[in-house]
Amino acid sequence: MQYTRLAEYGAIGDGNTVALVGRDGSIDWCPLPHVESPSVFAALLDADRGGHFAVRPTGSFDSVQRYHDRTNVLETTFRTAGGEARVTDFMPVAEATESDDSPPAVYRRLECADGPIEFEIRFEPRFDYARDIPDIELTADSVVALGDDERAVLSSDLPLEPSADGHAASATVTLEADERHWLVLGYGEEIPLAPATHRETLQRTVDYWREWSHDCNGTDCPVGGRWHDLAVRSALVLKLLIHRQSGAVCASPTTSLPEDLGGVRNWDYRYNWIRDAAFTVRALAELGHLAEAKSYFQLCLDHCSEHDPAAVPPVYGLHGGSDFEERVLDHLEGYRGSAPVRVGNAARDQHQLDVYGELILAIYEAVRYGQPVTPDDWAVMCDLIDYVCEGWDEPDAGIWEVRNDPQQFVYSKVMCWTALDRGIKLAEAADGIDAPLERWRTCRADVQAAILERGFSERTNSFVRAFGDEDTLDSANLLVPVVGFLPPDDERVQGTIDATIDRLVTDDGLVRRYEGDDGLPGTDSPFAVSSFWLVTALALAGRTEEATEHFEAILEYASPLGLLAEAVDPETGDQRGNFPQAYSHIGLINSALALADADRSSAESSAPLSREESLEDLDSSEEIISRPTDTE
């Protein structure tokens, strides 16, 4: 088997897990029952032994994928010399099945619009990352895959037969015009074949996504215009990655897709990183998804409250906890031969100072959108900010989670300043709450002075990667004006933007993350989120034409469905890294918002606003800290 380009996959999901469906009709990745669970199909990571579930024509064909408008219901259309057929793929959310007890399921509807067309169906599950090869049994209406501790049942009226070795099932059928069949895969238990019920489930799934997705209906839209649909698609991707029960956002539904083909930079991103909090809150809240934004920052706060402030893990599981030790699965060859395949992530054990600022900023953003914090929340926040006062000048692994010695990363210090700054502003706006404001103000001034003295290089006229560097850049410093550390028109901000363009931007307009050693061999590809940070910084600086050019250049690398991985191969233009990537789609939404703000500011002849400056006045304590009522 050959490997499919990442841009040729669509993603479907149910709020618990995500499956990747290739344009060739094959499901090549699906962990069950949760996104951080072991895989049932993993041809994405080993084309021969990983397992897949294919529905496609037997002969040559052209195919195209699309989502049903404003949904995560995927349709693949196949065209052959004999006619045209469609496969509709979806995973029903609990609201569509009207039951929280329904088993995780993948629904596949095969329809022939014009025939005849010969199709092949190949069902080859491989449990536990292909370490458990199940036995296949046939019943009257289903194929049952039995592993050591797992069971999956495929219901269909197609004539599936077991393979010679008894570990797969397949069928070859000729479809005529208007012929329709269902293939319904239930994990753990059977979902009986019932076409009328399946059609209702499909319609309820479509209705669910459309009711959730952003629809401005012609009213004033924060991200209106030519990028509106891409922003809506990005929000739908984020919703796929939000765990329906916990509210946690996994960074990506995949593991070990390489940042560089043949290299070792292959990581498991199926967990929740605290640093995503602030940018997720704004992206979702601006598009009207306030419940998810609130749930996410509350989840992060609850997580932090369970740890000593000095030892908050930067990443944790979607169900809480950090029991995901990094391990290598050496029986899998990796995507296109890029080993190792890893599960778990050692970043859980790192010290990353920037997460404190990102969390406090997320809470500040949520307050801006009308969500007060509780007194218990405020107590946790105070503990975190007090720790920042004590530990801001420690070295850490930084936003890029380097695997060599900790350093004094400038971006980490900027986010320590942000934690102090937003804590001070919240305390000042909410009368009558306890906060050591003088201590916080003194520390904020000390952090700012250290950054300006030790983190800015006169030689490069830009902020640098770490204290003491004179000539090493980091794209994360493009966020300096975004968090309000300095105004966008400050010469040091402009110099950092220009140095980034000169040294980190590729010929195709993509942005590399940083310069310097990170403890790993090889190089990584330009990062999508770094590219979006440049767009946002340019837009804030009033350089809207440049920002627009860079934004359009990045969007050229999005898949036909509007999906983005973590990175882009500068040589081939192929997407690299885990796919789809939450951080990339958060960056797209926030860049689109920044460009829309810049356009409005231009029309009103006013300067673009940084995030800090754009917050509304917080002048009522009831807006900041919720108070118990007499009945509580």
Side-chain angles (χ1 to χ4, degrees), residues 106-163:
V106 177
Y107 284 62
R108 314 197 74 178
R109 184 178 69 182
L110 171 59
E111 304 172 280
C112 183
D114 181 22
I117 303 179
E118 188 176 68
F119 260 77
E120 62 176 346
I121 294 89
R122 178 76 178 179
F123 177 59
E124 192 176 297
R126 295 292 183 263
F127 296 130
D128 192 22
Y129 303 113
R131 291 179 292 196
D132 180 3
I133 300 177
D135 294 322
I136 295 295
E137 298 180 358
L138 297 184
T139 68
D141 298 313
S142 64
V143 176
V144 182
L146 294 171
D148 293 338
D149 299 305
E150 295 182 81
R151 180 174 184 263
V153 184
L154 176 62
S155 299
S156 179
D157 58 354
L158 293 170
L160 289 154
E161 295 290 339
S163 60

Side-chain angles (χ1 to χ4, degrees), residues 28-165:
D28 290 342
W29 176 253
C30 184
L32 286 168
H34 299 285
V35 73
E36 72 271 44
S37 300
S39 59
V40 173
F41 305 113
L44 184 71
L45 297 178
D46 194 312
D48 291 326
R49 64 188 301 175
H52 66 286
F53 179 13
V55 179
R56 57 192 170 209
T58 56
S60 62
F61 60 84
D62 293 323
S63 62
V64 64
Q65 288 182 314
R66 74 174 188 93
Y67 282 111
H68 288 207
D69 186 44
R70 294 175 34 241
T71 78
N72 283 313
V73 174
L74 183 66
E75 181 180 283
T76 307
T77 298
F78 298 95
R79 296 183 179 90
T80 73
E84 180 176 304
R86 291 184 296 274
V87 176
T88 301
D89 289 299
F90 67 99
M91 300 183 74
V93 294
E95 291 81 353
T97 61
E98 300 182 335
S99 172
D100 285 331
D101 298 325
S102 297
V106 177
Y107 284 62
R108 314 197 74 178
R109 184 178 69 182
L110 171 59
E111 304 172 280
C112 183
D114 181 22
I117 303 179
E118 188 176 68
F119 260 77
E120 62 176 346
I121 294 89
R122 178 76 178 179
F123 177 59
E124 192 176 297
R126 295 292 183 263
F127 296 130
D128 192 22
Y129 303 113
R131 291 179 292 196
D132 180 3
I133 300 177
D135 294 322
I136 295 295
E137 298 180 358
L138 297 184
T139 68
D141 298 313
S142 64
V143 176
V144 182
L146 294 171
D148 293 338
D149 299 305
E150 295 182 81
R151 180 174 184 263
V153 184
L154 176 62
S155 299
S156 179
D157 58 354
L158 293 170
L160 289 154
E161 295 290 339
S163 60
D165 63 7

Side-chain angles (χ1 to χ4, degrees), residues 466-519:
F467 283 177
D469 284 349
E470 285 294 327
D471 197 40
T472 308
L473 301 185
D474 185 344
S475 67
N477 292 328
L478 292 166
L479 294 172
V480 163
V482 177
V483 301
F485 180 80
L486 288 176
D489 59 357
D490 187 282
E491 290 183 358
R492 291 161 291 190
V493 170
Q494 296 288 334
T496 300
I497 293 173
D498 291 337
T500 299
I501 292 172
D502 182 51
R503 304 232 322 245
L504 294 181
V505 174
T506 68
D507 292 341
D508 295 322
L510 301 168
V511 181
R512 295 189 180 277
R513 290 189 294 172
Y514 50 80
E515 299 170 325
D517 181 40
D518 59 8

